Amino acid sequence: MKNRILMLISLFFAYFCYAQEEGANVDLLKAPASPASNLLGIATSEINKPTDVTDLMLNLQDITSVFKNQAGYALDLAPYWLFGKSTKSLDNIIKDNKPSDVLKQTFVLSFAVKNTDSTSNKLPVNSVFTSIGFKFSLFRGNVDEKTLGKYESIKKLHRRIINGSKSSVEIVEADLEVMRITDQIETLIGKLKEGEEETLEIKELKVKLDSLKKKKIAELEKDKPSDVNNLSNNVAAIKEVLQGFSMTRTGFLWDFAGGTSVQFRDKQFDNSRIYNAGIWTILGYAFQKSGTPLFLMRYMYNPKNEWVTTEDFNPQGNFSTFDAGVKYEYTPKDSKFTGSFEGLYRSFISGSDLKPTWKCVLNLNYEIFPNQHLTLSLGKDFDNNIIKKGNVIAGLSFLSGIGSKRKIQ
């Protein structure tokens, strides 16, 4: 288990170094995007708001269990942002609202692992669980006017930088000394026979011309008045606008997710079986001021599994469940806190005569840094023992996203 943790952390920070490229660093990650965690029942929330994603997301579930070697770990990646070769900019995130575009940009592959010992009360004991899942949105809402206004300001400053640079180049290209050397090079190249390599004189003239152009452009930029067209001023202005720049969306939301998990009994890799598999969808609507209500429907299949670890339920065959749930999420204006409350009702639709059960969770989320979130979860789980005894489940989880830089077009 420790080796797996080190491997995940190494991969995470290796990509962190890779991700430091040119572009605008944007606060994208607003909610967990880990369906693999949901399959193992270790997610902070069963109903996650459709959201934009970073290239990579690392989720440490229930930090308090780390010292017991029982914490859950999840790694999620977005192939479109991580591997895609097409243009990927802030324009794409803000303006590409067709379902096919949204699907590509929000598609996530999810991996999770959970270790249990003899004291575990949520999963079968003395096992290692791994899961793989997927998630994508068809509708993620539209960016609000405030976000759009900030982005237009950034684009305006960006265009000024480009235009200012072009005007300097045009001035240098019209310089008499530059034109003289350019003509000299063209004349010498014209005298070359077909297939003949450039002479040393031509190469030296090209180096001289390139150096001269750079020098004259630098002088022009240095001598420009310190106004809005000045390169350094515009760059500084862009950085200022980008501080705290995040994607706030309103409108209709629709997500799909699913996956499967494997149990390695007695922590032996030659003693494994499918633990469960499922598919679910989340619909909702993000309001400008009054928060976001969400609704979940989920089907889970559990083949020959001691899936619910209670004294009165130990099914010998396959069984299936259907969950329906609602969630309300609210973030105060310009606040780093997000609060949500969700409730789910589970019915056993085949393979069991167990009575329906329910789950409710209060999540308190705090953004410690952009794309870095700490979540405290309090509530009651589906497990009948917990409900009968009235115990409260609690977990402190950490979510981090990297690879949030996007080009400005």
Side-chain angles (χ1 to χ4, degrees):
M1 174 62 68
K2 291 182 179 178
N3 290 336
R4 293 193 194 93
I5 298 168
L6 290 173
M7 183 177 69
L8 286 174
I9 294 174
S10 300
L11 175 61
F12 186 74
F13 284 103
Y15 185 74
F16 176 81
C17 297
Y18 158 78
Q20 305 308 305
E21 298 176 349
E22 293 183 0
N25 213 349
V26 184
D27 184 13
L28 294 170
L29 201 58
K30 297 296 183 183
S34 183
S37 298
N38 291 103
L39 290 164
L40 298 181
I42 60 174
T44 58
S45 173
E46 302 279 358
I47 309 175
N48 295 316
K49 179 181 176 181
T51 181
D52 296 296
V53 295
T54 58
D55 297 6
L56 278 176
M57 291 144 282
L58 181 65
N59 209 333
L60 173 58
Q61 306 286 356
D62 193 2
I63 296 174
T64 56
S65 294
V66 170
F67 304 104
K68 302 177 184 178
N69 198 27
Q70 289 190 72
Y73 306 88
L75 180 69
D76 302 87
L77 58 91
Y80 176 82
W81 300 108
L82 194 56
F83 305 117
K85 296 180 180 179
S86 58
T87 301
K88 294 171 290 187
S89 67
L90 282 173
D91 262 35
N92 296 116
I93 298 177
I94 291 173
K95 296 181 179 179
D96 292 353
N97 290 319
K98 294 180 181 178
S100 57
D101 293 327
V102 175
L103 189 156
K104 288 188 296 185
Q105 292 183 24
T106 59
F107 183 77
V108 168
L109 288 175
S110 178
F111 307 90
V113 61
K114 171 71 174 177
N115 180 62
T116 63
D117 61 17
S118 59
T119 64
S120 175
N121 61 0
K122 294 189 70 174
L123 292 170
V125 299
N126 197 32
S127 297
V128 173
F129 295 83
T130 61
S131 60
I132 180 171
F134 68 90
K135 177 180 177 290
F136 63 86
S137 300
L138 291 180
F139 297 93
R140 59 181 173 187
N142 299 317
V143 294
D144 64 2
E145 293 298 323
K146 184 178 179 180
T147 303
L148 198 57
K150 277 191 174 184
Y151 182 55
E152 290 302 325
S153 298
I154 293 169
K155 286 184 69 175
K156 188 176 180 181
L157 291 168
H158 191 251
R159 282 194 296 268
R160 285 179 181 174
I161 292 174
I162 295 173
N163 292 338
S165 177
K166 284 183 177 179
S167 62
S168 297
V169 171
E170 290 170 355
I171 292 171
V172 169
E173 290 292 347
D175 182 85
L176 292 177
E177 187 177 5
V178 170
M179 292 176 65
R180 180 180 60 80
I181 298 176
T182 301
D183 290 339
Q184 193 175 353
I185 292 173
E186 290 176 353
T187 300
L188 291 171
I189 290 177
K191 293 180 180 180
L192 294 175
K193 296 179 181 180
E194 186 175 352
E196 186 178 356
E197 292 185 359
E198 291 181 354
T199 63
L200 180 61
E201 182 182 7
I202 293 174
K203 292 179 180 178
E204 288 176 345
L205 283 171
K206 283 187 173 182
V207 172
K208 181 180 178 181
L209 178 63
D210 184 63
S211 177
L212 181 63
K213 285 182 177 181
K214 288 180 179 178
K215 179 181 177 182
K216 288 185 175 293
I217 289 174
E219 289 174 350
L220 285 170
E221 293 293 339
K222 183 180 179 180
D223 293 337
K224 277 185 178 180
S226 181
D227 56 18
V228 292
N229 290 318
N230 181 271
L231 176 63
S232 59
N233 284 351
N234 282 310
V235 170
I238 286 178
K239 289 182 179 180
E240 184 177 351
V241 176
L242 278 173
Q243 277 191 335
F245 181 77
S246 62
M247 293 291 170
T248 303
R249 295 183 177 273
T250 59
F252 183 60
L253 311 171
W254 193 7
D255 247 9
F256 284 93
T260 187
S261 65
V262 176
Q263 176 188 5
F264 297 94
R265 289 175 290 189
D266 300 322
K267 302 183 181 180
Q268 301 295 318
F269 287 94
D270 59 352
N271 186 13
S272 63
R273 67 177 177 183
I274 298 296
Y275 181 64
N276 63 9
I279 189 167
W280 60 94
T281 185
I282 296 172
L283 298 95
Y285 194 93
F287 292 96
Q288 181 73 40
K289 297 180 180 180
S290 54
T292 305
L294 299 165
F295 176 70
L296 169 135
M297 293 182 292
R298 177 172 59 191
Y299 171 80
M300 296 292 294
Y301 176 68
N302 308 269
K304 295 183 180 179
N305 202 322
E306 69 270 24
W307 173 77
V308 178
T309 55
T310 64
E311 296 176 359
D312 59 347
F313 180 58
N314 187 19
Q316 302 301 312
N318 306 334
F319 69 99
S320 301
T321 61
F322 178 78
D323 299 337
V326 293
K327 177 179 182 178
Y328 176 74
E329 180 177 300
Y330 181 74
T331 302
K333 184 179 180 182
D334 300 323
S335 174
K336 293 186 177 182
F337 281 99
T338 298
S340 67
F341 182 82
E342 64 184 60
L344 292 95
Y345 180 84
R346 169 166 291 171
S347 57
F348 296 81
I349 57 178
S350 68
S352 169
D353 57 359
L354 195 68
K355 293 181 179 180
T357 184
W358 55 276
K359 175 180 181 178
C360 63
V361 177
L362 172 67
N363 278 314
L364 302 175
N365 182 293
Y366 182 74
E367 178 191 340
I368 51 179
F369 299 108
N371 299 304
Q372 315 282 326
H373 293 251
L374 200 63
T375 300
L376 175 64
S377 302
L378 302 167
K380 288 187 175 182
D381 206 348
F382 287 120
D383 189 299
N384 276 0
N385 274 340
I386 290 178
I387 291 175
K388 286 180 178 178
K389 295 178 182 179
N391 294 333
V392 175
I393 59 171
L396 187 66
S397 301
F398 175 71
L399 172 66
S400 178
I402 63 171
S404 60
K405 287 194 174 182
R406 303 291 182 254
K407 295 179 181 179
I408 302 173
Q409 286 187 331

